[in-house]
Amino acid sequence: MSETRTTADFYFDPLCPWAWMTSRWMLEVEQVRPVDVRWKVMSLAVLNENKLDEVPEEYRELLATTAWGPVRVVTAAKELHGEEYVGKLYTALGTRFHNNGEAPTKEAIAAALKEVGLPEDLVEYADKDTYDTELRASHTEGIGKVGQDVGTPVIAVPGPTGDEVAFFGPVVTPTPRGDDAARLWDGTLLVASTPGFYEIKRTRTAAPSFE
């Protein structure tokens, strides 16, 4: 394997449990391959805002209201305090939402902000559209690489010929570790960089395992 380091852009929504699983795998990939992850936001609320009537009823309220808060706060943190906080805040939020089973309340978001050394009053941006232009721009950048028929996460990385390779997923549980993480990364890049390749899929038979 080449030791030239490369950057993988990882577009996430903090609320998505499957994106969370993939993000923990990417942290493993950083340890076993010469890859640096650059964390970027995308939004399930933006993705679905014009098709809520097509979304299962139990998810409509989540997407119409709750889903805006965490991703808005992450965007505000980036704009006001720097890109280096995006991944840190994502880890703090995701650990609370997914591993610990906390609801995405303002209290949980404020605790995550405090954990990473950010002002807790950034939580007020959960209800503000102050940085929605930047949020939408990042979402559009990510989803534009793969098309509208997918969700989060989206990963974009330079391919073997220098052209960018972007894809949704992979959707996996539990998080692959060590050599397993490396093999999945190598295999994912192999199929994703094949001209004309679009999809591999099978029915999910297990929920995310947040071990």
Side-chain angles (χ1 to χ4, degrees):
M1 300 296 296
S2 170
E3 288 304 314
T4 301
R5 298 198 69 82
T6 190
T7 298
D9 288 333
F10 188 100
Y11 297 83
F12 66 91
D13 185 309
L15 283 188
C16 180
W18 291 104
W20 176 247
M21 297 301 304
T22 308
S23 73
R24 300 310 91 180
W25 164 66
M26 285 303 301
L27 294 182
E28 289 287 316
V29 171
E30 284 189 313
Q31 304 304 311
V32 295
R33 289 292 182 262
V35 174
D36 298 311
V37 180
R38 180 164 55 193
W39 305 99
K40 298 189 174 188
V41 296
M42 62 184 297
S43 170
L44 293 174
V46 173
L47 183 66
N48 291 284
E49 64 182 341
N50 295 321
K51 50 184 179 181
L52 287 176
D53 57 340
E54 303 172 15
V55 174
E57 186 174 353
E58 61 267 28
Y59 295 120
R60 288 177 194 167
E61 181 66 17
L62 174 72
L63 291 172
T65 57
T66 307
W68 285 99
V71 75
R72 276 175 166 169
V73 172
V74 174
T75 303
K78 174 181 179 293
E79 296 300 318
L80 295 172
H81 296 277
E83 186 176 350
E84 66 270 20
Y85 281 101
V86 176
K88 296 176 184 178
L89 184 54
Y90 180 32
T91 289
L93 290 169
T95 299
R96 291 177 179 276
F97 297 164
H98 306 301
N99 294 66
N100 299 346
E102 297 181 35
T105 61
K106 280 191 172 182
E107 291 75 15
I109 296 171
L113 288 164
K114 181 179 181 180
E115 181 182 329
V116 300
L118 287 169
E120 292 177 65
D121 60 6
L122 282 176
V123 72
E124 299 307 319
Y125 285 97
D127 299 323
K128 298 178 180 179
D129 63 1
T130 308
Y131 295 108
D132 277 10
T133 297
E134 290 80 1
L135 166 58
R136 290 177 180 275
S138 184
H139 172 86
T140 298
E141 178 185 272
I143 204 70
K145 298 176 185 294
V146 291
Q148 296 290 325
D149 296 327
V150 302
T152 179
V154 169
I155 297 174
V157 64
T161 63
D163 294 333
E164 184 177 70
V165 173
F167 49 89
F168 161 71
V171 175
V172 62
T173 189
T175 300
R177 309 285 184 184
D179 289 343
D180 289 339
R183 282 192 293 270
L184 180 57
W185 178 251
D186 296 343
T188 299
L189 291 189
L190 176 63
V191 296
S193 61
T194 299
F197 176 83
Y198 293 104
E199 187 173 1
I200 287 177
K201 191 171 184 178
R202 58 186 173 192
T203 300
R204 299 178 199 172
T205 59
S209 175
F210 308 121
E211 81 285 7

